[in-house]
Short mmCIF file of all heavy atoms in Angstrom, two decimals:
data_model
loop_
_atom_site.label_atom_id
_atom_site.label_comp_id
_atom_site.label_asym_id
_atom_site.label_seq_id
_atom_site.Cartn_x
_atom_site.Cartn_y
_atom_site.Cartn_z
N MET K 583 110.02 131.79 111.20
CA MET K 583 109.84 131.81 112.66
C MET K 583 110.43 130.57 113.30
O MET K 583 111.06 130.63 114.36
CB MET K 583 108.34 131.90 113.01
CG MET K 583 107.73 133.26 112.74
SD MET K 583 106.01 133.37 113.26
CE MET K 583 106.14 133.07 115.02
N GLY K 586 113.91 130.96 113.89
CA GLY K 586 114.27 131.97 114.87
C GLY K 586 114.20 133.39 114.39
O GLY K 586 114.51 134.33 115.13
N VAL K 588 111.88 136.20 113.61
CA VAL K 588 110.50 136.63 113.79
C VAL K 588 110.22 137.95 113.08
O VAL K 588 109.07 138.29 112.81
CB VAL K 588 110.18 136.74 115.31
CG1 VAL K 588 108.68 136.94 115.53
CG2 VAL K 588 110.64 135.51 116.05
N ALA K 620 104.04 127.55 114.45
CA ALA K 620 105.41 127.18 114.09
C ALA K 620 106.13 126.59 115.30
O ALA K 620 105.91 127.05 116.44
CB ALA K 620 106.17 128.41 113.58
N PRO K 621 106.95 125.58 115.11
CA PRO K 621 107.67 125.00 116.23
C PRO K 621 108.68 125.99 116.80
O PRO K 621 109.30 126.76 116.06
CB PRO K 621 108.38 123.77 115.63
CG PRO K 621 108.46 124.05 114.16
CD PRO K 621 107.26 124.88 113.83
N VAL K 622 108.81 125.95 118.12
CA VAL K 622 109.77 126.85 118.78
C VAL K 622 111.18 126.39 118.43
O VAL K 622 111.48 125.19 118.47
CB VAL K 622 109.55 126.83 120.31
CG1 VAL K 622 110.59 127.69 121.01
CG2 VAL K 622 108.16 127.31 120.63
N PRO K 623 112.07 127.29 118.06
CA PRO K 623 113.45 126.88 117.71
C PRO K 623 114.11 126.14 118.86
O PRO K 623 113.85 126.44 120.05
CB PRO K 623 114.16 128.20 117.42
CG PRO K 623 113.08 129.18 117.11
CD PRO K 623 111.89 128.74 117.93
N GLY K 627 116.86 128.43 125.80
CA GLY K 627 116.11 129.52 126.37
C GLY K 627 115.12 130.18 125.42
O GLY K 627 114.58 131.25 125.74
N ALA K 628 114.85 129.57 124.26
CA ALA K 628 113.98 130.21 123.27
C ALA K 628 112.57 130.37 123.83
O ALA K 628 111.94 131.42 123.67
CB ALA K 628 113.95 129.40 121.99
N ALA K 629 112.05 129.32 124.50
CA ALA K 629 110.68 129.38 125.00
C ALA K 629 110.52 130.47 126.06
O ALA K 629 109.54 131.22 126.08
CB ALA K 629 110.27 128.01 125.57
N ASP K 630 111.51 130.58 126.98
CA ASP K 630 111.45 131.62 127.99
C ASP K 630 111.54 133.01 127.38
O ASP K 630 110.87 133.95 127.82
CB ASP K 630 112.57 131.43 129.01
CG ASP K 630 112.39 130.15 129.84
OD1 ASP K 630 111.23 129.68 129.95
OD2 ASP K 630 113.39 129.63 130.35
N SER K 631 112.36 133.13 126.36
CA SER K 631 112.50 134.44 125.70
C SER K 631 111.19 134.87 125.03
O SER K 631 110.81 136.05 125.09
CB SER K 631 113.63 134.37 124.66
OG SER K 631 113.72 135.57 123.94
N LEU K 632 110.50 133.92 124.41
CA LEU K 632 109.21 134.24 123.79
C LEU K 632 108.22 134.78 124.81
O LEU K 632 107.50 135.75 124.55
CB LEU K 632 108.63 133.00 123.11
CG LEU K 632 109.43 132.34 121.99
CD1 LEU K 632 108.64 131.19 121.39
CD2 LEU K 632 109.76 133.36 120.91
N ARG K 633 108.19 134.16 125.97
CA ARG K 633 107.23 134.59 126.99
C ARG K 633 107.59 135.99 127.51
O ARG K 633 106.69 136.82 127.73
CB ARG K 633 107.22 133.59 128.15
CG ARG K 633 106.14 133.86 129.19
CD ARG K 633 106.09 132.77 130.26
NE ARG K 633 104.95 132.96 131.12
CZ ARG K 633 104.93 133.81 132.18
NH1 ARG K 633 106.03 134.52 132.45
NH2 ARG K 633 103.85 133.92 132.92
N ARG K 634 108.86 136.25 127.71
CA ARG K 634 109.25 137.60 128.20
C ARG K 634 108.88 138.67 127.18
O ARG K 634 108.43 139.75 127.56
CB ARG K 634 110.77 137.61 128.47
CG ARG K 634 111.17 136.79 129.69
CD ARG K 634 112.58 137.15 130.13
NE ARG K 634 113.55 136.99 129.06
CZ ARG K 634 114.21 135.86 128.83
NH1 ARG K 634 113.99 134.80 129.60
NH2 ARG K 634 115.10 135.77 127.84
N ILE K 635 109.09 138.39 125.90
CA ILE K 635 108.74 139.37 124.89
C ILE K 635 107.22 139.60 124.86
O ILE K 635 106.73 140.74 124.76
CB ILE K 635 109.21 138.91 123.50
CG1 ILE K 635 110.75 138.87 123.46
CG2 ILE K 635 108.68 139.81 122.40
CD1 ILE K 635 111.32 138.29 122.18
N ALA K 636 106.46 138.51 124.98
CA ALA K 636 104.99 138.64 124.97
C ALA K 636 104.50 139.48 126.14
O ALA K 636 103.54 140.25 126.02
CB ALA K 636 104.36 137.25 125.01
N LEU K 637 105.17 139.34 127.30
CA LEU K 637 104.75 140.08 128.48
C LEU K 637 105.36 141.47 128.54
O LEU K 637 105.11 142.21 129.50
CB LEU K 637 105.13 139.29 129.74
CG LEU K 637 104.44 137.94 129.92
CD1 LEU K 637 104.97 137.21 131.15
CD2 LEU K 637 102.93 138.12 130.04
N GLY K 638 106.20 141.82 127.54
CA GLY K 638 106.82 143.14 127.54
C GLY K 638 107.94 143.27 128.51
O GLY K 638 108.30 144.39 128.92
N GLU K 639 108.55 142.14 128.93
CA GLU K 639 109.61 142.16 129.94
C GLU K 639 110.99 142.11 129.32
O GLU K 639 112.00 142.13 130.03
CB GLU K 639 109.43 140.97 130.90
CG GLU K 639 108.14 140.99 131.66
CD GLU K 639 107.92 139.72 132.46
OE1 GLU K 639 108.73 138.77 132.29
OE2 GLU K 639 106.95 139.66 133.23
N ASP K 640 111.09 141.97 127.98
CA ASP K 640 112.37 141.88 127.29
C ASP K 640 112.77 143.27 126.84
O ASP K 640 112.19 143.85 125.92
CB ASP K 640 112.28 140.93 126.11
CG ASP K 640 113.66 140.57 125.56
OD1 ASP K 640 114.50 141.46 125.42
OD2 ASP K 640 113.86 139.37 125.28
N ASN K 658 103.81 142.63 117.80
CA ASN K 658 104.96 141.87 118.28
C ASN K 658 104.59 141.06 119.51
O ASN K 658 104.85 139.86 119.62
CB ASN K 658 106.12 142.82 118.57
CG ASN K 658 107.35 142.09 119.07
OD1 ASN K 658 107.78 141.11 118.47
ND2 ASN K 658 107.93 142.57 120.16
N ARG K 659 104.00 141.74 120.50
CA ARG K 659 103.61 141.04 121.73
C ARG K 659 102.53 140.00 121.43
O ARG K 659 102.57 138.89 121.98
CB ARG K 659 103.08 142.05 122.76
CG ARG K 659 104.13 143.00 123.30
CD ARG K 659 103.54 143.85 124.41
NE ARG K 659 103.16 143.03 125.55
CZ ARG K 659 102.40 143.46 126.55
NH1 ARG K 659 101.94 144.70 126.55
NH2 ARG K 659 102.10 142.67 127.55
N LEU K 661 101.92 138.30 118.60
CA LEU K 661 102.46 137.15 117.91
C LEU K 661 103.21 136.23 118.86
O LEU K 661 103.07 134.99 118.82
CB LEU K 661 103.38 137.59 116.76
CG LEU K 661 104.07 136.46 115.98
CD1 LEU K 661 103.05 135.53 115.34
CD2 LEU K 661 105.00 137.04 114.92
N HIS K 662 103.99 136.80 119.75
CA HIS K 662 104.75 135.97 120.70
C HIS K 662 103.80 135.28 121.68
O HIS K 662 104.04 134.14 122.09
CB HIS K 662 105.78 136.82 121.44
CG HIS K 662 107.00 137.11 120.63
ND1 HIS K 662 107.06 138.11 119.70
CD2 HIS K 662 108.21 136.48 120.55
CE1 HIS K 662 108.25 138.13 119.12
NE2 HIS K 662 108.98 137.14 119.64
N ALA K 663 102.74 135.94 122.07
CA ALA K 663 101.78 135.31 123.00
C ALA K 663 101.06 134.15 122.31
O ALA K 663 100.90 133.07 122.89
CB ALA K 663 100.77 136.36 123.48
N VAL K 664 100.63 134.39 121.06
CA VAL K 664 99.97 133.31 120.31
C VAL K 664 100.94 132.14 120.10
O VAL K 664 100.56 130.98 120.20
CB VAL K 664 99.45 133.85 118.96
CG1 VAL K 664 98.99 132.70 118.07
CG2 VAL K 664 98.32 134.83 119.18
N TRP K 665 102.18 132.44 119.84
CA TRP K 665 103.21 131.40 119.63
C TRP K 665 103.35 130.53 120.88
O TRP K 665 103.38 129.29 120.81
CB TRP K 665 104.53 132.07 119.29
CG TRP K 665 105.51 131.21 118.58
CD1 TRP K 665 105.32 129.90 118.20
CD2 TRP K 665 106.81 131.56 118.13
NE1 TRP K 665 106.44 129.44 117.55
CE2 TRP K 665 107.37 130.44 117.49
CE3 TRP K 665 107.58 132.74 118.21
CZ2 TRP K 665 108.65 130.45 116.94
CZ3 TRP K 665 108.83 132.75 117.65
CH2 TRP K 665 109.38 131.62 117.03
N CYS K 666 103.43 131.18 122.04
CA CYS K 666 103.56 130.42 123.29
C CYS K 666 102.31 129.60 123.60
O CYS K 666 102.39 128.44 124.00
CB CYS K 666 103.82 131.38 124.47
SG CYS K 666 105.42 132.22 124.40
N LEU K 667 101.14 130.20 123.39
CA LEU K 667 99.90 129.52 123.75
C LEU K 667 99.51 128.43 122.77
O LEU K 667 98.65 127.60 123.09
CB LEU K 667 98.77 130.56 123.85
CG LEU K 667 98.88 131.55 125.00
CD1 LEU K 667 97.85 132.67 124.85
CD2 LEU K 667 98.70 130.85 126.34
N GLU K 669 101.42 126.02 121.77
CA GLU K 669 102.03 124.73 122.14
C GLU K 669 100.97 123.88 122.79
O GLU K 669 100.39 124.25 123.81
CB GLU K 669 103.20 124.95 123.09
CG GLU K 669 104.44 125.54 122.44
CD GLU K 669 105.16 124.51 121.57
OE1 GLU K 669 105.01 123.30 121.83
OE2 GLU K 669 105.86 124.93 120.63
N LEU K 678 99.51 135.35 129.71
CA LEU K 678 99.54 135.43 128.26
C LEU K 678 98.12 135.60 127.71
O LEU K 678 97.92 136.28 126.69
CB LEU K 678 100.20 134.19 127.68
CG LEU K 678 101.70 134.06 127.95
CD1 LEU K 678 102.23 132.75 127.36
CD2 LEU K 678 102.47 135.23 127.35
#
Side-chain angles (χ1 to χ4, degrees):
M583 288 184 61
V588 189
V622 177
D630 293 337
S631 176
L632 298 184
R633 187 176 187 277
R634 290 196 303 271
I635 294 174
L637 296 176
E639 299 173 353
D640 193 316
N658 180 49
R659 293 187 63 193
L661 177 60
H662 282 82
V664 170
W665 201 1
C666 292
L667 292 170
E669 287 286 335
L678 292 177

